[in-house]
Amino acid sequence: MDPAHSLADAQPTPFWLEDPGRPRANPALVGDEHCDLLVVGGGYSGLWTALIAKERDPSREVVLIEGHEVGWAATGRNGGFCAASLTHGIGNGLERWPGELDKLQQLGARNLDEIEAAIARHDIDCDFERTGEIDVATEPYQLDELHELAQEAAGLGVELEMLDRDAMRAEVDSPTFVGGLWDRDGVAMLHPAKLAWGLKRACESLGVRIHEHTRATAMTPNGGGMAVRTGYGRVFARRVALASGVFPSLVKRLRSFVVPVYDYAMVTEPLTEGQLASIGWKRRQGLGDGANQFHYFRLTADNRILWGGYDAIYKFGGRVAAEHDQRPETFRKLAAQFFTCFPQLEGLRFTHTWGGAIDTCSRFSAFYGTTHGGRVGYALGYTGLGVGATRFGAEVMLDLLAGERTERTELEMVRSKPLPFPPEPFAWAGIELTRRSLARADRNGGRRNLWLKAMDKVGLGFDS
């Protein structure tokens, strides 16, 4: 059967955002507001910043503005993998910050523990499950890479469990799996939109004033603080935290550091008991395969399979637009790959398809800083691993805005910046050449061509 038939009834909308528990949007800001801290952006980055700011100082007046609705963009469209890593994995961390990776691993583990504690403290129902994640090898060369990663992790005191073919297939059964590397404690699965809505409720319970459908259009100095203009009003704030992710920053010089890369995902109908038994997956770990163009997949609370990744699409000019949220050629490709991975699920249908833009930077992990004499802070470029790392980024932004020297602000990762992307047409040409080279490497046993080696050398990377 043509795999496209499995998509015939799929709704072109993010599965997570269709949840009946979705809260009503708050009214837009009209007129003038005054506050100690203005947070621009209602995704994870902004929500954690607002929440932690009030927890640190309950008397602080905090306002958050969001251009659409809280959790609507990348926050409500991701796979729900909440990882401890702050560096987009141990390999990327070793390449860029080998001297402080041990500290970064400790801070990341602490950050994940604090996310779990905050979810419990604020009674957030977001299907949180600390099941871990398995990096799956589907080609023999990927097993060698996983063995190397396990050894590197052991040197940092991180215990990862290597699985051979039989052990891997005993966890989750696919004829394509030849092994895996299981991080039992460093990743949790959750419902991403429910987490955002729970953080919104927690913020408001502490006194944060949240305005949705309120897009920031301009920012200028105002005395000892800043003035931010919106569609129907203004906010005068002593400090501003920019948490706008992939959308064009109010600080123009930051725009060249981030490009929007579109990622796509879909979700099946709930599996029957028989279908679930045919693949195992009793421990509900998150999964991701080891190719450059990789898939990520997991079970939802009602036993659907979310299946995403592979294509990473950058549109010429870097414009973020709703028209890019659907890409039938990618969904058809993903459906075919799904049934290659799980042939025993032939006949299963997909119920939702969607896409979203990732705020991608050249080092794959967030960068931080201040501008306007320390009155404006920012954290950007999470590159698809922001469910967990945004909380750490919020702590960094608040440290920087307070002018404090902390173990976070002293990190080289925090004090350094990635390389910016070149202007068009060079950005599109370079990203497209890199994407095609990565696909070629997947077909050739992981061997990287001269272009990829050159990009690795200068630190201007790109990943699916």
PDB file of all heavy atoms in Angstrom, residues 183-216:
ATOM      1  N   ASP A 183      20.512   6.433  27.576  1.00  0.00           N
ATOM      2  CA  ASP A 183      20.679   7.383  28.676  1.00  0.00           C
ATOM      3  C   ASP A 183      19.443   7.230  29.551  1.00  0.00           C
ATOM      4  O   ASP A 183      18.373   7.750  29.232  1.00  0.00           O
ATOM      5  CB  ASP A 183      20.802   8.807  28.120  1.00  0.00           C
ATOM      6  CG  ASP A 183      20.989   9.857  29.206  1.00  0.00           C
ATOM      7  OD1 ASP A 183      20.871   9.508  30.396  1.00  0.00           O
ATOM      8  OD2 ASP A 183      21.232  11.030  28.861  1.00  0.00           O
ATOM      9  N   ARG A 184      19.572   6.532  30.669  1.00  0.00           N
ATOM     10  CA  ARG A 184      18.409   6.181  31.475  1.00  0.00           C
ATOM     11  C   ARG A 184      17.825   7.355  32.256  1.00  0.00           C
ATOM     12  O   ARG A 184      16.630   7.369  32.558  1.00  0.00           O
ATOM     13  CB  ARG A 184      18.765   5.067  32.457  1.00  0.00           C
ATOM     14  CG  ARG A 184      18.913   3.688  31.837  1.00  0.00           C
ATOM     15  CD  ARG A 184      19.307   2.659  32.877  1.00  0.00           C
ATOM     16  NE  ARG A 184      19.307   1.302  32.353  1.00  0.00           N
ATOM     17  CZ  ARG A 184      18.288   0.460  32.423  1.00  0.00           C
ATOM     18  NH1 ARG A 184      17.157   0.843  32.992  1.00  0.00           N
ATOM     19  NH2 ARG A 184      18.375  -0.761  31.939  1.00  0.00           N
ATOM     20  N   ASP A 185      18.667   8.347  32.589  1.00  0.00           N
ATOM     21  CA  ASP A 185      18.213   9.377  33.516  1.00  0.00           C
ATOM     22  C   ASP A 185      18.251  10.792  32.964  1.00  0.00           C
ATOM     23  O   ASP A 185      17.675  11.696  33.544  1.00  0.00           O
ATOM     24  CB  ASP A 185      19.078   9.320  34.792  1.00  0.00           C
ATOM     25  CG  ASP A 185      18.506  10.156  35.921  1.00  0.00           C
ATOM     26  OD1 ASP A 185      17.337   9.924  36.295  1.00  0.00           O
ATOM     27  OD2 ASP A 185      19.220  11.046  36.415  1.00  0.00           O
ATOM     28  N   GLY A 186      18.920  10.992  31.834  1.00  0.00           N
ATOM     29  CA  GLY A 186      19.174  12.348  31.377  1.00  0.00           C
ATOM     30  C   GLY A 186      18.128  12.964  30.479  1.00  0.00           C
ATOM     31  O   GLY A 186      18.319  14.084  29.987  1.00  0.00           O
ATOM     32  N   VAL A 187      17.008  12.273  30.246  1.00  0.00           N
ATOM     33  CA  VAL A 187      15.955  12.794  29.372  1.00  0.00           C
ATOM     34  C   VAL A 187      14.599  12.389  29.937  1.00  0.00           C
ATOM     35  O   VAL A 187      14.423  11.253  30.400  1.00  0.00           O
ATOM     36  CB  VAL A 187      16.085  12.263  27.927  1.00  0.00           C
ATOM     37  CG1 VAL A 187      15.024  12.881  27.020  1.00  0.00           C
ATOM     38  CG2 VAL A 187      17.483  12.534  27.360  1.00  0.00           C
ATOM     39  N   ALA A 188      13.654  13.313  29.894  1.00  0.00           N
ATOM     40  CA  ALA A 188      12.270  13.024  30.270  1.00  0.00           C
ATOM     41  C   ALA A 188      11.368  13.269  29.071  1.00  0.00           C
ATOM     42  O   ALA A 188      11.673  14.097  28.207  1.00  0.00           O
ATOM     43  CB  ALA A 188      11.833  13.892  31.443  1.00  0.00           C
ATOM     44  N   MET A 189      10.268  12.557  29.024  1.00  0.00           N
ATOM     45  CA  MET A 189       9.231  12.793  28.017  1.00  0.00           C
ATOM     46  C   MET A 189       8.106  13.589  28.665  1.00  0.00           C
ATOM     47  O   MET A 189       7.761  13.358  29.838  1.00  0.00           O
ATOM     48  CB  MET A 189       8.663  11.469  27.500  1.00  0.00           C
ATOM     49  CG  MET A 189       9.668  10.552  26.811  1.00  0.00           C
ATOM     50  SD  MET A 189      10.242  11.210  25.242  1.00  0.00           S
ATOM     51  CE  MET A 189      11.899  11.675  25.712  1.00  0.00           C
ATOM     52  N   LEU A 190       7.529  14.515  27.894  1.00  0.00           N
ATOM     53  CA  LEU A 190       6.412  15.289  28.439  1.00  0.00           C
ATOM     54  C   LEU A 190       5.522  15.795  27.314  1.00  0.00           C
ATOM     55  O   LEU A 190       5.844  15.660  26.127  1.00  0.00           O
ATOM     56  CB  LEU A 190       6.937  16.446  29.299  1.00  0.00           C
ATOM     57  CG  LEU A 190       7.985  17.409  28.723  1.00  0.00           C
ATOM     58  CD1 LEU A 190       7.388  18.403  27.740  1.00  0.00           C
ATOM     59  CD2 LEU A 190       8.689  18.166  29.837  1.00  0.00           C
ATOM     60  N   HIS A 191       4.390  16.351  27.689  1.00  0.00           N
ATOM     61  CA  HIS A 191       3.459  17.002  26.749  1.00  0.00           C
ATOM     62  C   HIS A 191       3.880  18.463  26.681  1.00  0.00           C
ATOM     63  O   HIS A 191       3.667  19.221  27.636  1.00  0.00           O
ATOM     64  CB  HIS A 191       2.036  16.862  27.285  1.00  0.00           C
ATOM     65  CG  HIS A 191       0.950  17.328  26.350  1.00  0.00           C
ATOM     66  ND1 HIS A 191       0.913  18.609  25.827  1.00  0.00           N
ATOM     67  CD2 HIS A 191      -0.144  16.677  25.860  1.00  0.00           C
ATOM     68  CE1 HIS A 191      -0.161  18.732  25.066  1.00  0.00           C
ATOM     69  NE2 HIS A 191      -0.813  17.575  25.061  1.00  0.00           N
ATOM     70  N   PRO A 192       4.493  18.892  25.587  1.00  0.00           N
ATOM     71  CA  PRO A 192       5.092  20.232  25.572  1.00  0.00           C
ATOM     72  C   PRO A 192       4.108  21.378  25.752  1.00  0.00           C
ATOM     73  O   PRO A 192       4.420  22.364  26.429  1.00  0.00           O
ATOM     74  CB  PRO A 192       5.790  20.291  24.210  1.00  0.00           C
ATOM     75  CG  PRO A 192       5.169  19.220  23.391  1.00  0.00           C
ATOM     76  CD  PRO A 192       4.741  18.160  24.338  1.00  0.00           C
ATOM     77  N   ALA A 193       2.932  21.275  25.158  1.00  0.00           N
ATOM     78  CA  ALA A 193       1.969  22.370  25.300  1.00  0.00           C
ATOM     79  C   ALA A 193       1.430  22.444  26.723  1.00  0.00           C
ATOM     80  O   ALA A 193       1.263  23.539  27.284  1.00  0.00           O
ATOM     81  CB  ALA A 193       0.827  22.207  24.305  1.00  0.00           C
ATOM     82  N   LYS A 194       1.169  21.287  27.330  1.00  0.00           N
ATOM     83  CA  LYS A 194       0.677  21.293  28.712  1.00  0.00           C
ATOM     84  C   LYS A 194       1.707  21.898  29.666  1.00  0.00           C
ATOM     85  O   LYS A 194       1.345  22.563  30.642  1.00  0.00           O
ATOM     86  CB  LYS A 194       0.317  19.874  29.163  1.00  0.00           C
ATOM     87  CG  LYS A 194      -1.000  19.340  28.610  1.00  0.00           C
ATOM     88  CD  LYS A 194      -1.283  17.976  29.211  1.00  0.00           C
ATOM     89  CE  LYS A 194      -2.622  17.426  28.765  1.00  0.00           C
ATOM     90  NZ  LYS A 194      -2.887  16.088  29.357  1.00  0.00           N
ATOM     91  N   LEU A 195       2.986  21.667  29.389  1.00  0.00           N
ATOM     92  CA  LEU A 195       4.014  22.298  30.218  1.00  0.00           C
ATOM     93  C   LEU A 195       3.948  23.809  30.082  1.00  0.00           C
ATOM     94  O   LEU A 195       3.996  24.540  31.082  1.00  0.00           O
ATOM     95  CB  LEU A 195       5.402  21.796  29.832  1.00  0.00           C
ATOM     96  CG  LEU A 195       6.580  22.489  30.539  1.00  0.00           C
ATOM     97  CD1 LEU A 195       6.484  22.349  32.050  1.00  0.00           C
ATOM     98  CD2 LEU A 195       7.917  21.947  30.030  1.00  0.00           C
ATOM     99  N   ALA A 196       3.815  24.304  28.856  1.00  0.00           N
ATOM    100  CA  ALA A 196       3.736  25.754  28.647  1.00  0.00           C
ATOM    101  C   ALA A 196       2.518  26.349  29.337  1.00  0.00           C
ATOM    102  O   ALA A 196       2.608  27.380  30.019  1.00  0.00           O
ATOM    103  CB  ALA A 196       3.694  26.063  27.156  1.00  0.00           C
ATOM    104  N   TRP A 197       1.376  25.695  29.195  1.00  0.00           N
ATOM    105  CA  TRP A 197       0.158  26.223  29.819  1.00  0.00           C
ATOM    106  C   TRP A 197       0.266  26.162  31.342  1.00  0.00           C
ATOM    107  O   TRP A 197      -0.225  27.063  32.035  1.00  0.00           O
ATOM    108  CB  TRP A 197      -1.054  25.433  29.337  1.00  0.00           C
ATOM    109  CG  TRP A 197      -1.241  25.491  27.840  1.00  0.00           C
ATOM    110  CD1 TRP A 197      -0.856  26.505  27.002  1.00  0.00           C
ATOM    111  CD2 TRP A 197      -1.833  24.480  27.010  1.00  0.00           C
ATOM    112  NE1 TRP A 197      -1.173  26.189  25.699  1.00  0.00           N
ATOM    113  CE2 TRP A 197      -1.772  24.959  25.667  1.00  0.00           C
ATOM    114  CE3 TRP A 197      -2.395  23.237  27.246  1.00  0.00           C
ATOM    115  CZ2 TRP A 197      -2.263  24.211  24.585  1.00  0.00           C
ATOM    116  CZ3 TRP A 197      -2.880  22.499  26.177  1.00  0.00           C
ATOM    117  CH2 TRP A 197      -2.821  22.984  24.866  1.00  0.00           C
ATOM    118  N   GLY A 198       0.916  25.124  31.855  1.00  0.00           N
ATOM    119  CA  GLY A 198       1.114  25.047  33.294  1.00  0.00           C
ATOM    120  C   GLY A 198       2.052  26.125  33.804  1.00  0.00           C
ATOM    121  O   GLY A 198       1.841  26.705  34.879  1.00  0.00           O
ATOM    122  N   LEU A 199       3.091  26.436  33.028  1.00  0.00           N
ATOM    123  CA  LEU A 199       4.000  27.519  33.407  1.00  0.00           C
ATOM    124  C   LEU A 199       3.293  28.867  33.365  1.00  0.00           C
ATOM    125  O   LEU A 199       3.520  29.737  34.215  1.00  0.00           O
ATOM    126  CB  LEU A 199       5.225  27.523  32.491  1.00  0.00           C
ATOM    127  CG  LEU A 199       6.211  26.368  32.675  1.00  0.00           C
ATOM    128  CD1 LEU A 199       7.277  26.395  31.584  1.00  0.00           C
ATOM    129  CD2 LEU A 199       6.860  26.414  34.060  1.00  0.00           C
ATOM    130  N   LYS A 200       2.412  29.035  32.385  1.00  0.00           N
ATOM    131  CA  LYS A 200       1.623  30.272  32.319  1.00  0.00           C
ATOM    132  C   LYS A 200       0.793  30.435  33.596  1.00  0.00           C
ATOM    133  O   LYS A 200       0.789  31.511  34.217  1.00  0.00           O
ATOM    134  CB  LYS A 200       0.701  30.242  31.096  1.00  0.00           C
ATOM    135  CG  LYS A 200      -0.263  31.414  31.003  1.00  0.00           C
ATOM    136  CD  LYS A 200      -1.242  31.258  29.847  1.00  0.00           C
ATOM    137  CE  LYS A 200      -2.273  32.380  29.828  1.00  0.00           C
ATOM    138  NZ  LYS A 200      -3.269  32.217  28.726  1.00  0.00           N
ATOM    139  N   ARG A 201       0.110  29.368  33.988  1.00  0.00           N
ATOM    140  CA  ARG A 201      -0.721  29.433  35.195  1.00  0.00           C
ATOM    141  C   ARG A 201       0.137  29.706  36.428  1.00  0.00           C
ATOM    142  O   ARG A 201      -0.245  30.507  37.304  1.00  0.00           O
ATOM    143  CB  ARG A 201      -1.495  28.123  35.341  1.00  0.00           C
ATOM    144  CG  ARG A 201      -2.351  28.032  36.599  1.00  0.00           C
ATOM    145  CD  ARG A 201      -3.200  26.772  36.611  1.00  0.00           C
ATOM    146  NE  ARG A 201      -2.426  25.565  36.419  1.00  0.00           N
ATOM    147  CZ  ARG A 201      -1.721  24.950  37.367  1.00  0.00           C
ATOM    148  NH1 ARG A 201      -1.695  25.461  38.603  1.00  0.00           N
ATOM    149  NH2 ARG A 201      -1.067  23.840  37.113  1.00  0.00           N
ATOM    150  N   ALA A 202       1.310  29.070  36.504  1.00  0.00           N
ATOM    151  CA  ALA A 202       2.197  29.279  37.646  1.00  0.00           C
ATOM    152  C   ALA A 202       2.690  30.722  37.700  1.00  0.00           C
ATOM    153  O   ALA A 202       2.751  31.331  38.778  1.00  0.00           O
ATOM    154  CB  ALA A 202       3.380  28.317  37.569  1.00  0.00           C
ATOM    155  N   CYS A 203       3.041  31.267  36.535  1.00  0.00           N
ATOM    156  CA  CYS A 203       3.482  32.669  36.479  1.00  0.00           C
ATOM    157  C   CYS A 203       2.391  33.600  37.005  1.00  0.00           C
ATOM    158  O   CYS A 203       2.646  34.492  37.828  1.00  0.00           O
ATOM    159  CB  CYS A 203       3.853  33.055  35.044  1.00  0.00           C
ATOM    160  SG  CYS A 203       5.435  32.425  34.458  1.00  0.00           S
ATOM    161  N   GLU A 204       1.187  33.398  36.530  1.00  0.00           N
ATOM    162  CA  GLU A 204       0.082  34.279  36.934  1.00  0.00           C
ATOM    163  C   GLU A 204      -0.223  34.130  38.420  1.00  0.00           C
ATOM    164  O   GLU A 204      -0.574  35.106  39.084  1.00  0.00           O
ATOM    165  CB  GLU A 204      -1.148  33.979  36.081  1.00  0.00           C
ATOM    166  CG  GLU A 204      -0.972  34.413  34.629  1.00  0.00           C
ATOM    167  CD  GLU A 204      -2.187  34.128  33.770  1.00  0.00           C
ATOM    168  OE1 GLU A 204      -2.787  33.030  33.912  1.00  0.00           O
ATOM    169  OE2 GLU A 204      -2.540  34.996  32.942  1.00  0.00           O
ATOM    170  N   SER A 205      -0.058  32.919  38.953  1.00  0.00           N
ATOM    171  CA  SER A 205      -0.323  32.722  40.379  1.00  0.00           C
ATOM    172  C   SER A 205       0.676  33.498  41.245  1.00  0.00           C
ATOM    173  O   SER A 205       0.371  33.828  42.394  1.00  0.00           O
ATOM    174  CB  SER A 205      -0.257  31.232  40.728  1.00  0.00           C
ATOM    175  OG  SER A 205       1.077  30.753  40.722  1.00  0.00           O
ATOM    176  N   LEU A 206       1.849  33.805  40.683  1.00  0.00           N
ATOM    177  CA  LEU A 206       2.855  34.581  41.408  1.00  0.00           C
ATOM    178  C   LEU A 206       2.774  36.074  41.104  1.00  0.00           C
ATOM    179  O   LEU A 206       3.570  36.857  41.631  1.00  0.00           O
ATOM    180  CB  LEU A 206       4.256  34.062  41.075  1.00  0.00           C
ATOM    181  CG  LEU A 206       4.568  32.622  41.488  1.00  0.00           C
ATOM    182  CD1 LEU A 206       6.001  32.268  41.150  1.00  0.00           C
ATOM    183  CD2 LEU A 206       4.311  32.414  42.985  1.00  0.00           C
ATOM    184  N   GLY A 207       1.834  36.452  40.236  1.00  0.00           N
ATOM    185  CA  GLY A 207       1.625  37.865  39.974  1.00  0.00           C
ATOM    186  C   GLY A 207       2.174  38.386  38.666  1.00  0.00           C
ATOM    187  O   GLY A 207       2.135  39.607  38.421  1.00  0.00           O
ATOM    188  N   VAL A 208       2.685  37.522  37.793  1.00  0.00           N
ATOM    189  CA  VAL A 208       3.139  37.975  36.476  1.00  0.00           C
ATOM    190  C   VAL A 208       1.929  38.393  35.652  1.00  0.00           C
ATOM    191  O   VAL A 208       0.925  37.682  35.598  1.00  0.00           O
ATOM    192  CB  VAL A 208       3.917  36.856  35.747  1.00  0.00           C
ATOM    193  CG1 VAL A 208       4.328  37.317  34.345  1.00  0.00           C
ATOM    194  CG2 VAL A 208       5.141  36.435  36.550  1.00  0.00           C
ATOM    195  N   ARG A 209       2.024  39.553  35.000  1.00  0.00           N
ATOM    196  CA  ARG A 209       0.951  40.024  34.129  1.00  0.00           C
ATOM    197  C   ARG A 209       1.282  39.611  32.689  1.00  0.00           C
ATOM    198  O   ARG A 209       2.296  40.031  32.135  1.00  0.00           O
ATOM    199  CB  ARG A 209       0.793  41.545  34.243  1.00  0.00           C
ATOM    200  CG  ARG A 209       0.496  41.989  35.677  1.00  0.00           C
ATOM    201  CD  ARG A 209       0.055  43.439  35.754  1.00  0.00           C
ATOM    202  NE  ARG A 209       1.072  44.396  35.366  1.00  0.00           N
ATOM    203  CZ  ARG A 209       2.041  44.847  36.170  1.00  0.00           C
ATOM    204  NH1 ARG A 209       2.142  44.399  37.414  1.00  0.00           N
ATOM    205  NH2 ARG A 209       2.904  45.746  35.734  1.00  0.00           N
ATOM    206  N   ILE A 210       0.418  38.788  32.105  1.00  0.00           N
ATOM    207  CA  ILE A 210       0.669  38.229  30.777  1.00  0.00           C
ATOM    208  C   ILE A 210      -0.336  38.794  29.777  1.00  0.00           C
ATOM    209  O   ILE A 210      -1.549  38.750  30.006  1.00  0.00           O
ATOM    210  CB  ILE A 210       0.584  36.693  30.807  1.00  0.00           C
ATOM    211  CG1 ILE A 210       1.682  36.123  31.720  1.00  0.00           C
ATOM    212  CG2 ILE A 210       0.699  36.110  29.406  1.00  0.00           C
ATOM    213  CD1 ILE A 210       1.631  34.611  31.879  1.00  0.00           C
ATOM    214  N   HIS A 211       0.186  39.320  28.683  1.00  0.00           N
ATOM    215  CA  HIS A 211      -0.644  39.826  27.586  1.00  0.00           C
ATOM    216  C   HIS A 211      -0.325  39.023  26.327  1.00  0.00           C
ATOM    217  O   HIS A 211       0.824  38.990  25.879  1.00  0.00           O
ATOM    218  CB  HIS A 211      -0.368  41.308  27.327  1.00  0.00           C
ATOM    219  CG  HIS A 211      -0.654  42.193  28.498  1.00  0.00           C
ATOM    220  ND1 HIS A 211      -1.916  42.621  28.814  1.00  0.00           N
ATOM    221  CD2 HIS A 211       0.180  42.728  29.433  1.00  0.00           C
ATOM    222  CE1 HIS A 211      -1.867  43.387  29.903  1.00  0.00           C
ATOM    223  NE2 HIS A 211      -0.598  43.471  30.293  1.00  0.00           N
ATOM    224  N   GLU A 212      -1.337  38.373  25.759  1.00  0.00           N
ATOM    225  CA  GLU A 212      -1.158  37.634  24.508  1.00  0.00           C
ATOM    226  C   GLU A 212      -1.676  38.470  23.352  1.00  0.00           C
ATOM    227  O   GLU A 212      -2.264  39.539  23.519  1.00  0.00           O
ATOM    228  CB  GLU A 212      -1.856  36.275  24.619  1.00  0.00           C
ATOM    229  CG  GLU A 212      -1.176  35.396  25.685  1.00  0.00           C
ATOM    230  CD  GLU A 212      -1.897  34.102  25.982  1.00  0.00           C
ATOM    231  OE1 GLU A 212      -1.664  33.112  25.268  1.00  0.00           O
ATOM    232  OE2 GLU A 212      -2.701  34.076  26.948  1.00  0.00           O
ATOM    233  N   HIS A 213      -1.420  37.998  22.138  1.00  0.00           N
ATOM    234  CA  HIS A 213      -1.736  38.767  20.924  1.00  0.00           C
ATOM    235  C   HIS A 213      -1.170  40.188  21.043  1.00  0.00           C
ATOM    236  O   HIS A 213      -1.816  41.171  20.658  1.00  0.00           O
ATOM    237  CB  HIS A 213      -3.247  38.787  20.669  1.00  0.00           C
ATOM    238  CG  HIS A 213      -3.811  37.415  20.416  1.00  0.00           C
ATOM    239  ND1 HIS A 213      -3.490  36.671  19.306  1.00  0.00           N
ATOM    240  CD2 HIS A 213      -4.638  36.645  21.169  1.00  0.00           C
ATOM    241  CE1 HIS A 213      -4.116  35.501  19.362  1.00  0.00           C
ATOM    242  NE2 HIS A 213      -4.812  35.457  20.485  1.00  0.00           N
ATOM    243  N   THR A 214       0.046  40.276  21.576  1.00  0.00           N
ATOM    244  CA  THR A 214       0.701  41.569  21.808  1.00  0.00           C
ATOM    245  C   THR A 214       2.122  41.468  21.275  1.00  0.00           C
ATOM    246  O   THR A 214       3.034  41.018  21.972  1.00  0.00           O
ATOM    247  CB  THR A 214       0.714  41.911  23.311  1.00  0.00           C
ATOM    248  OG1 THR A 214      -0.638  41.959  23.793  1.00  0.00           O
ATOM    249  CG2 THR A 214       1.385  43.251  23.563  1.00  0.00           C
ATOM    250  N   ARG A 215       2.309  41.866  20.026  1.00  0.00           N
ATOM    251  CA  ARG A 215       3.621  41.746  19.394  1.00  0.00           C
ATOM    252  C   ARG A 215       4.444  42.991  19.662  1.00  0.00           C
ATOM    253  O   ARG A 215       3.978  44.121  19.469  1.00  0.00           O
ATOM    254  CB  ARG A 215       3.460  41.533  17.886  1.00  0.00           C
ATOM    255  CG  ARG A 215       4.787  41.257  17.161  1.00  0.00           C
ATOM    256  CD  ARG A 215       4.543  40.801  15.740  1.00  0.00           C
ATOM    257  NE  ARG A 215       4.036  41.881  14.911  1.00  0.00           N
ATOM    258  CZ  ARG A 215       4.806  42.727  14.225  1.00  0.00           C
ATOM    259  NH1 ARG A 215       6.135  42.632  14.292  1.00  0.00           N
ATOM    260  NH2 ARG A 215       4.268  43.666  13.477  1.00  0.00           N
ATOM    261  N   ALA A 216       5.683  42.787  20.092  1.00  0.00           N
ATOM    262  CA  ALA A 216       6.607  43.906  20.269  1.00  0.00           C
ATOM    263  C   ALA A 216       7.090  44.363  18.904  1.00  0.00           C
ATOM    264  O   ALA A 216       7.547  43.550  18.094  1.00  0.00           O
ATOM    265  CB  ALA A 216       7.794  43.472  21.120  1.00  0.00           C
TER     266      ALA A 216
END
